[in-house]
């Protein structure tokens, strides 16, 4: 839920948010607050000429230089997952990049349940909407995992025990 919750928190802070995904997910993305959507199957956002103050990436599947190209001066790139070798490059060169360009590279290791109390307040106030794909019966777990592995799921894939 990093992406779907992250965009909603960003919108609560007044951010203008652009999302990158498949066109089949655009309706859901707009429903949770994305202002702009880009179909990565048709357009590479790192070659569009647009610049971003903050990039939150859950895939990290491009080169470090591609991300740097689209950050504004003083911008920040944050990743929470991706290809291990790329993540190591970010960790190794992050400080040097900041020194030379003023752009910040951050690799976050998510701490399970670290901010639940704060997010709970947002949920209880009706400011956050969980995005759920399913539910699937526990007996259909294979179908649920297949669906998840295609990256066509919208939000969290849920299995019910009933």
């Amino acid at each position: 839920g990093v992406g779907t919750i992250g965009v909603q928190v960003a919108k609560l802070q007044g951010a203008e948010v652009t999302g990158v995904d498949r066109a089949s997910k655009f309706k859901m993305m707009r429903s949770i607050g994305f202002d702009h959507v880009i179909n990565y199957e048709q357009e590479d956002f790192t070659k569009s000429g647009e610049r971003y103050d903050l990039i939150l990436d859950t895939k990290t599947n491009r080169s470090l230089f591609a991300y740097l190209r689209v950050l504004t001066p003083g911008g920040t790139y944050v990743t929470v997952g991706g290809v291990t070798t790329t993540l190591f490059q970010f960790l190794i060169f992050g400080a040097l990049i900041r020194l030379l360009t003023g752009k910040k590279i951050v690799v976050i290791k998510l701490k399970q349940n670290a901010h639940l109390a704060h997010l709970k307040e947002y949920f209880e106030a009706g400011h956050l909407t969980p995005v759920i794909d399913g539910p699937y019966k526990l007996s259909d777990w294979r179908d649920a995992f297949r669906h998840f592995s295609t990256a066509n799921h919208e939000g969290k894939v849920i299995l019910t025990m009933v």
Side-chain angles (χ1 to χ4, degrees):
V2 172
T4 59
I5 297 300
V7 68
Q8 293 176 72
V9 171
K11 292 303 296 180
L12 289 169
Q13 305 302 315
E16 181 177 346
V17 182
T18 300
V20 179
D21 212 320
R22 293 181 172 152
S24 62
K25 297 184 183 182
F26 286 179
K27 181 179 179 185
M28 176 275 297
M29 292 168 70
R30 287 185 179 106
S31 76
I32 60 170
F34 284 95
D35 298 296
H36 312 282
V37 290
I38 297 171
N39 181 348
Y40 73 78
E41 295 174 315
Q42 295 180 350
E43 179 182 355
D44 181 347
F45 83 97
T46 67
K47 296 179 180 175
S48 69
E50 290 291 323
R51 299 290 178 260
Y52 303 94
D53 298 318
L54 172 68
I55 297 173
L56 171 62
D57 193 355
T58 60
K59 303 285 186 211
T60 309
N61 55 5
R62 292 178 171 80
S63 79
L64 175 58
F65 300 105
Y67 294 117
L68 291 173
R69 179 174 53 239
V70 296
L71 279 176
T72 58
T76 302
Y77 173 85
V78 179
T79 182
V80 294
V83 180
T84 304
T85 54
T86 306
L87 294 173
F88 278 126
Q89 289 173 357
F90 286 18
L91 286 169
I92 292 167
F93 297 114
L96 181 61
I97 288 165
R98 186 171 189 175
L99 182 66
L100 295 175
T101 69
K103 297 176 182 183
K104 189 174 178 184
I105 306 294
V106 180
V107 178
I108 294 178
K109 181 180 181 284
L110 295 178
K111 295 176 184 129
Q112 194 171 19
N113 303 326
H115 301 285
L116 284 184
H118 187 65
L119 292 175
K120 178 180 178 259
E121 292 174 17
Y122 280 146
F123 276 108
E124 288 175 345
H127 297 307
L128 297 179
T129 303
V131 180
I132 297 172
D133 194 323
Y136 291 84
K137 294 178 185 175
L138 183 59
S139 60
D140 295 329
W141 68 269
R142 285 183 183 92
D143 293 333
F145 277 90
R146 258 190 234 91
H147 177 61
F148 178 80
S149 69
T150 65
N152 287 321
H153 61 288
E154 294 183 10
K156 293 295 156 193
V157 175
I158 302 296
L159 297 172
T160 58
M161 302 293 278
V162 181

